[in-house]
Amino acid sequence: MPLCRRCQACLAWNVAPCERCAEPLAPALEARPAGTRLCGRCLTTPLALDTVVAPLIYRDEIRRLVQRFKAGAHRPSAHQLIALFLWALEARETTVPDVLMGVPRHRQRAREQGFDQSEWLASELGRRLGVPVTRGQRRRNDPPQHTLTASARRRQVKGMFDVAGPMPRHVVLVDDVMTTGATLSRLASACRDAGAERVDAWVMARTPPPWLC
């Protein structure tokens, strides 16, 4: 574990989330037995992802770590996030995928930021786990999703990605933070169109629902 127990206890862990999209659940739903903990959206309109691993909640110190990484390419923060993620991954019965893929940024935006954080995370996880990494392509340079409403995000991601096939059977998509999951879901659909049979997502953190903010 990369932190002492006292520091570990101070972090916002995503203890009993939705078993499909990893959204933090209200306490009444957390009490449900394993195999039945699903959020309302996954019961009605699930994402095109089989499972999501998101061990942390995007708040407090985790939010600060992610923002330092995204805004300033602060590698110590990124390595801390990866260490926390891998520690949590070891506690799960997680199938090792055939390939990892970072959520692609448009080339122009990656140049403006100086790096592609999702691609970096995928490459680092792949190096540590011995899993190959592949790339997709983002077609459009749309406005940042944090500036949009949830419905606008869902409209924006239509036709956003190109993925060259054939893809291997099991693909894991990698990103820093998952909010609505719209972008990940569309990339997952593009991977399935290219031949993938199972598509999961590994994200460092999940944004909390309004009741948890």
Side-chain angles (χ1 to χ4, degrees), residues 2-184:
L3 297 175
C4 68
R5 291 186 178 182
R6 182 177 178 181
C7 290
Q8 174 190 353
C10 292
L11 296 177
W13 292 98
N14 198 4
V15 179
C18 171
E19 293 173 320
R20 179 157 187 174
C21 76
E23 179 176 283
L25 295 177
L29 295 177
E30 287 183 1
R32 290 181 178 180
T36 64
R37 291 194 298 266
L38 293 175
C39 67
R41 183 179 64 176
C42 285
L43 288 171
T44 56
T45 54
L47 301 171
L49 293 160
D50 289 284
T51 60
V52 175
V53 178
L56 297 158
I57 297 175
Y58 185 62
R59 60 187 300 183
D60 306 327
E61 181 57 29
I62 298 305
R63 183 186 182 98
R64 288 188 284 272
L65 282 173
V66 172
Q67 289 179 341
R68 284 198 293 268
F69 171 47
K70 293 179 72 167
H74 189 247
R75 298 302 169 84
S77 297
H79 285 295
Q80 184 68 78
L81 287 167
I82 284 179
L84 290 167
F85 180 87
L86 290 175
W87 179 80
L89 196 65
E90 289 178 2
R92 299 172 56 104
E93 293 183 3
T94 304
T95 303
V96 176
D98 297 313
V99 70
L100 299 176
M101 176 187 289
V103 176
R105 266 51 178 178
H106 191 271
R107 290 187 298 273
Q108 179 181 340
R109 186 163 297 162
R111 284 195 299 268
E112 291 170 354
Q113 293 179 331
F115 78 121
D116 186 323
Q117 65 264 25
S118 296
E119 183 179 303
W120 188 91
L121 289 169
S123 297
E124 186 64 17
L125 285 171
R127 183 184 68 81
R128 297 194 188 195
L129 296 171
V131 177
V133 177
T134 190
R135 296 182 181 182
Q137 183 176 349
R138 199 179 193 112
R139 294 174 178 170
R140 305 189 308 269
N141 186 18
D142 292 320
Q145 290 221 334
H146 69 266
T147 65
L148 304 174
T149 64
S151 59
R153 292 181 187 190
R154 287 190 288 270
R155 291 193 300 271
Q156 182 197 63
V157 296
K158 292 182 179 180
M160 181 177 284
F161 299 108
D162 282 323
V163 174
M167 291 292 288
R169 189 190 71 84
H170 184 191
V171 179
V172 164
L173 309 178
V174 179
D175 208 355
D176 47 13
V177 178
M178 177 176 170
T179 304
T180 66
T183 298
L184 284 162

